[in-house]
Amino acid sequence: MLHLRETLFLLFILGASLAEAAYNSYAAPAAASGGLRPGNGRAPGGGRPVRSVETLYQWKQLEFGFATPQDRQQAEADGNLMPENGTPIDVQPHFLSNGQVRVFTTIPRFVTGIPYTLATVSDQEGPNGPQLQPYPNYAWHNNNGDDCDRITSAFRVAISECNQMWVIDSGNVGGVQHCPPQLLQFDLNSDTLLHRFRFPNETYTPGASLFIAPNLFVQDPPPRNCARTIIYVPDVTNHGLVVYDHRANAAWRVENRFMYPDPDYGRHTIAGESFDLMDGIFAVNNDRQNLYFHPLASVSEYSVPLSVLNRRQNWENGVDAMSDQFTLLGRRKSECAASAIDSRGNLYCVTFNPIKLFAWNVKTRYTTRNFGNLPAKANELQFVSGMKVARNAEGKEELWMLSNRFQKIASGTLNSNEVNFRILRRPLDDIHSGVFFASDDDLTNRLIFN
C-alpha cells in the first residue's frame, strides 16, 4: 500500500503529464490569408478533440484596396494613403446565409495617413497580405474629421442578433477631437445606415475622452426586432462608462474608481519588449445580468449589475453614485487587453506576460486556479486588441481575435518585413462539450467549462 506522501507525488506527476499532453495534443495551424481550417487535436486519453487557434489572415503591413482608381487617387491627393501608419485593432465576423463569412476590421486614426477606418477583408492578395475594402464605401469616410456626418475614426464594432452592426466612431484623429463621438447602426442586409447617435457634451470631455468599443445588451432578440438595445461604451482615457439606451435614444455617464488604471501596472512587457500605457477601463462584456470589465493597466477584473447601470435615475445625482454596487472579482497574474464572453458564461482574454489565452467561467471565483489555459502559439497572440465570440452558420460559437504587436508600435521597433497583424479563430465546441484544460495553479486537468 502506498503511503500518503507517495500517493500525492504520483498524483502530481500524473497531473503534470496530463497538462503537458493537453498543450501538445493539437495540430499547429498553417498560417494562411484565407481558408478556414479548424484544429483537430485530441484531448488527453484520446477523448474529445481539442481545438487550436488558427491564423486566417495576416499582414506585414496593411493593404488598402479601393473600389475605383479615382478613390485611390483621391486618398493619395489628400495625403491619406500611408499604409505604414495603419494599425488594425478590431475584428468582427459576419456569417452570411450562403455559408460565406464577411470579416470586418477597424483601423483608427491614431495618426493621419489612413484612407478609411472601417473595412472588410477581401480575398484579393496584395504584397503584404489580403486587401482591405472600405465599408460601406469610400465616400462614407471623411478626410480626418472634415465632415462629421461621415466616419472619422472607427474603433470597434459589434453585431446584434438582428443582423445589425453598431460602430463606435471616436471622432478623434491623433488625439484631437474633430467630431463628437457617435454610434452608427448599419443594416447588414443592405449595408445602409439605420440610426446615428451623437453623444451629448455631458457624456465626454473633448481632448480627454476616447470612446473605444460598443458592448450590446439586446433585450428583445429575434423573433423581435432588437429595438430594446442597451450599449455600454468604455471611455478609456477619461475613465468612465457611457450607457446608451437605443429605445429612449438617450445616454448617461457612469464613473467608479475601478475604472481607473493602476500605476503599478502601467508598464507592460510583451515578448520581451516594454512600453508604458496608462489606459483605464478597456474591455467590457455582459452575460445579460452583469457587466464585467477591466482597465488595461490593471490585473483586476470587476463587475456591476446591468440593472444598476440601466436605470438612468441612479446617475442623475452624480456619475459616481452606486459605488457599493461595483465588485472586485479577483486578480490575474498579468494585464490583458480585449476580452469576450460566450453564451455559457466563459470569459476569454490573453495575458501579456506570459502570453496565454485563458478562459474563466463567471459561475466560479475569479482566481488563477479557475482559469483554463487554452492551447495557442504565443508569438501569434502578441497584444490581442480585438476579440469576439460569434455564432457561425451552423449555430456553433467561435472565438475570433485580432493581434497587432502593439508593443513594437509603441517602442518603434515594428518591422514591415515580418508578419505583424493577424486575424485568428478558435472553435469553442471542445470547451462547450466539457474538455479538460489545465490552470497555472493546478497541474491536474480540471473540468471548468460546460
Side-chain angles (χ1 to χ4, degrees):
M1 175 177 291
L2 292 173
H3 294 294
L4 176 60
R5 180 179 298 176
E6 297 172 40
T7 302
L8 291 174
F9 178 76
L10 287 175
L11 286 174
F12 176 84
I13 295 298
L14 176 60
S17 300
L18 289 174
E20 183 178 6
Y23 272 85
N24 296 329
S25 64
Y26 68 96
S33 62
L36 305 181
R37 297 190 297 276
N40 57 1
R42 305 298 295 179
R48 300 182 183 97
V50 174
R51 298 299 189 181
S52 60
V53 175
E54 51 186 329
T55 296
L56 306 181
Y57 305 97
Q58 60 185 32
W59 294 264
K60 298 176 180 178
Q61 181 176 283
L62 290 183
E63 292 280 346
F64 290 102
F66 296 85
T68 68
Q70 291 77 16
D71 287 348
R72 177 177 289 275
Q73 291 165 7
Q74 184 63 53
E76 290 174 339
D78 292 337
N80 284 336
L81 190 53
M82 301 178 183
E84 66 275 14
N85 288 1
T87 301
I89 69 161
D90 198 23
V91 61
Q92 174 69 66
H94 175 218
F95 293 94
L96 306 175
S97 57
N98 62 5
Q100 299 297 308
V101 184
R102 182 164 59 164
V103 179
F104 292 93
T105 189
T106 59
I107 314 98
R109 284 175 167 148
F110 298 117
V111 293
T112 57
I114 311 301
Y116 47 84
T117 72
L118 176 59
T120 56
V121 184
S122 77
D123 294 329
Q124 186 172 351
E125 283 290 326
N128 296 299
Q131 281 194 3
L132 304 178
Q133 289 293 332
Y135 182 87
N137 54 55
Y138 183 61
W140 250 101
H141 297 261
N142 64 33
N143 181 10
N144 295 310
D146 67 344
D147 181 353
C148 296
D149 288 334
R150 296 189 284 165
I151 298 172
T152 301
S153 185
F155 251 80
R156 289 182 178 85
V157 304
I159 294 179
S160 76
E161 299 92 324
C162 291
N163 209 33
Q164 300 162 355
M165 184 168 71
W166 290 90
V167 181
I168 186 70
D169 176 4
S170 72
N172 190 298
V173 180
V176 178
Q177 195 73 46
H178 290 272
C179 298
Q182 62 179 342
L183 274 169
L184 302 172
Q185 182 193 32
F186 287 98
D187 180 351
L188 293 179
N189 295 311
S190 60
D191 295 329
T192 56
L193 184 70
L194 291 174
H195 180 71
R196 180 199 307 270
F197 179 77
R198 289 189 174 95
F199 288 93
N201 292 340
E202 62 268 22
T203 61
Y204 74 100
T205 302
S209 293
L210 186 63
F211 289 3
I212 63 167
N215 179 251
L216 310 183
F217 172 39
V218 179
Q219 298 172 296
D220 57 340
R224 290 176 289 176
N225 62 359
C226 299
R228 296 177 58 214
T229 296
I230 305 289
I231 302 179
Y232 309 98
V233 180
D235 182 349
V236 68
T237 50
N238 206 29
H239 319 318
L241 180 78
V242 175
V243 182
Y244 171 64
D245 184 329
H246 180 37
R247 185 171 62 170
N249 200 36
W252 53 94
R253 187 174 177 90
V254 175
E255 294 182 4
N256 184 271
R257 62 189 178 90
F258 291 158
M259 299 176 184
Y260 280 70
D262 183 340
D264 288 339
Y265 295 96
R267 186 164 183 80
H268 315 280
T269 299
I270 301 175
E273 292 188 74
S274 298
F275 63 99
D276 295 329
L277 185 60
M278 284 291 291
D279 273 358
I281 180 171
F282 191 92
V284 295
N285 295 277
N286 79 81
D287 63 354
R288 307 186 66 83
Q289 294 182 339
N290 296 293
L291 188 81
Y292 303 92
F293 67 93
H294 61 256
L296 180 74
S298 173
V299 295
S300 299
E301 193 75 22
Y302 305 99
S303 71
V304 59
L306 298 187
S307 58
V308 172
L309 296 174
N310 297 348
R311 191 170 186 270
R312 186 178 187 178
Q313 293 86 341
N314 289 341
W315 313 101
E316 288 178 345
N317 294 326
V319 296
D320 55 352
M322 313 295 289
S323 60
D324 61 327
Q325 296 296 309
F326 290 79
T327 301
L328 168 64
L329 297 174
R331 293 181 174 87
R332 301 175 292 277
K333 293 181 178 179
S334 172
E335 317 92 297
C336 68
S339 60
I341 195 167
D342 67 21
S343 63
R344 312 289 184 92
N346 299 315
L347 187 67
Y348 303 88
C349 207
V350 177
T351 53
F352 287 178
N353 187 27
I355 300 171
K356 286 187 179 182
L357 170 62
F358 75 93
W360 163 73
N361 190 275
V362 299
K363 298 181 180 67
T364 66
R365 290 181 59 206
Y366 195 89
T367 66
T368 53
R369 183 176 176 85
N370 287 326
F371 296 171
N373 294 322
L374 308 182
K377 290 183 176 180
N379 68 304
E380 296 179 347
L381 296 180
Q382 296 177 27
F383 201 93
V384 172
S385 62
M387 183 181 289
K388 299 290 192 305
V389 171
R391 197 174 297 277
N392 63 26
E394 289 75 42
K396 296 180 179 180
E397 287 184 311
E398 300 176 350
L399 182 67
W400 288 64
M401 296 173 283
L402 185 145
S403 63
N404 60 24
R405 304 177 90 191
F406 183 77
Q407 79 278 6
K408 291 186 172 292
I409 298 169
S411 59
T413 60
L414 197 71
N415 184 346
S416 60
N417 293 317
E418 301 173 349
V419 173
N420 293 300
F421 314 130
R422 292 179 172 89
I423 289 176
L424 311 103
R425 185 196 73 160
R426 186 195 193 281
L428 297 178
D429 53 347
D430 57 342
I431 294 173
H432 292 172
S433 63
V435 166
F436 290 85
F437 290 98
S439 73
D440 285 341
D441 296 346
D442 184 357
L443 290 177
T444 59
N445 281 24
R446 301 156 44 78
L447 180 61
I448 60 172
F449 310 113
N450 51 50

